[in-house]
Amino acid sequence: MALTQVSSNKCAGGYQKVFEHDSSELQCKMKFAVYIPPKAESDKCPVFYWLSGLTCTEQNFITKAGAQQAAADHGIIIVAPDTSPRGCGIEGEEESWDFGTGAGFYVDATQGPWSANYRMYSYVTDELPKLINANFPADPDRMSISGHSMGGHGALVCTLRNPGKYKTVSAFAPICNPIQCPWGQKAFSGYLGTDKSTWEAYDATVLAASYDGPQLDILIDQGGDDQFLSSSQLLPDHLIAACSAKKIPIVFRRQPGYDHSYFFIYSFMGDHIKHHAKYLNA
């Protein structure tokens, strides 16, 4: 699968790069960012996948999260894909900030006209890792995943649906119970249809309640002044209760004064990289 390099910048001793490729899953050109640490010059490195939130592209994380130095220190490749297909010519794809372009929700759509292109779940869990493993000094047996908001939802779902695939998972202000919140209900009804039983495959709280796989160690940071926490979009208490019932270890840190922005992510990204390094470099 051919890659076209869009940009390359020396950063923290390694390189922050962006590539473009033709996606077979999404039937369009897709961009993803990859940070290659200095260690990758001589060894295969583990890979940390980052899933961004609503309205983001691959640029938000690499320019705002400040993850590169920690990734360099721990010898971790970071891969940050875009959040949806783009330019597919689907009627209505540009009408809403929380549905369509920039809002793929990491599901495989089953409803027209979205089903041909909006397959972000399969892109993230299958196509993209194969691409990374074939083109970069990546260790295919050492992957982890994290994300923010919609991307936190995606990271949790990818982990809970694929026991053992990821060494660990973390999230910043994830949408924890999308079938119960306005963002999730809008996205799932559009992408997956009106049969709500099909939505459960993409709901971290539901998946945690039935999880039966290798032991997990989940780290979640949540801003205490997050406007979407108070508006019942995130619902972390639902996930915490489900994990508690299944005895899934979850460290939930409510960070006073922090909001939903990348200022919040930047403040605790180092902790998350360390959390992942503990399992990726074990």
Side-chain angles (χ1 to χ4, degrees), residues 2 26 89 131:
L26 308 180
L131 191 66

Side-chain angles (χ1 to χ4, degrees), residues 15-190:
Y15 285 91
Q16 179 63 67
K17 297 175 179 282
V18 175
F19 290 89
E20 186 176 66
H21 73 108
D22 291 313
S23 169
S24 57
E25 283 288 356
L26 308 180
Q27 297 296 304
C28 67
K29 288 189 179 298
M30 286 292 287
K31 289 180 181 177
F32 65 87
V34 56
Y35 177 70
I36 304 172
K39 187 178 180 181
E41 294 178 6
S42 57
D43 295 303
K44 285 194 171 185
C45 295
V47 184
F48 168 101
Y49 286 87
W50 172 266
L51 306 184
S52 290
L54 289 165
T55 76
C56 291
T57 70
E58 79 289 340
Q59 289 293 316
N60 297 73
F61 178 79
I62 65 174
T63 59
K64 296 179 179 180
Q68 291 92 343
Q69 186 61 63
D73 293 342
H74 292 284
I76 296 173
I77 294 170
I78 299 182
V79 176
D82 202 349
T83 54
S84 77
R86 293 183 188 268
C88 297
I90 300 172
E91 184 177 355
E93 67 182 349
E94 303 287 348
E95 289 180 2
S96 301
W97 68 274
D98 56 358
F99 184 81
T101 300
F105 261 86
Y106 305 102
V107 304
D108 285 348
T110 58
Q111 304 299 302
W114 311 99
S115 55
N117 304 97
Y118 277 67
R119 297 180 52 79
M120 287 297 295
Y121 173 78
S122 288
Y123 178 72
V124 165
T125 59
D126 185 41
E127 182 178 1
L128 186 58
K130 287 179 179 176
L131 191 66
I132 297 302
N133 294 337
N135 290 278
F136 300 95
D139 183 342
D141 296 321
R142 291 187 292 159
M143 299 193 306
S144 70
I145 193 165
S146 184
H148 170 232
S149 195
M150 177 185 73
H153 138 76
L156 291 165
V157 166
C158 290
T159 301
L160 292 165
R161 284 188 58 169
N162 297 277
K165 186 180 184 74
Y166 302 97
K167 295 295 185 184
T168 192
V169 61
S170 72
F172 291 82
I175 302 171
C176 293
N177 195 188
I179 65 175
Q180 298 289 345
C181 80
W183 278 340
Q185 290 164 353
K186 178 177 180 178
F188 288 4
S189 61

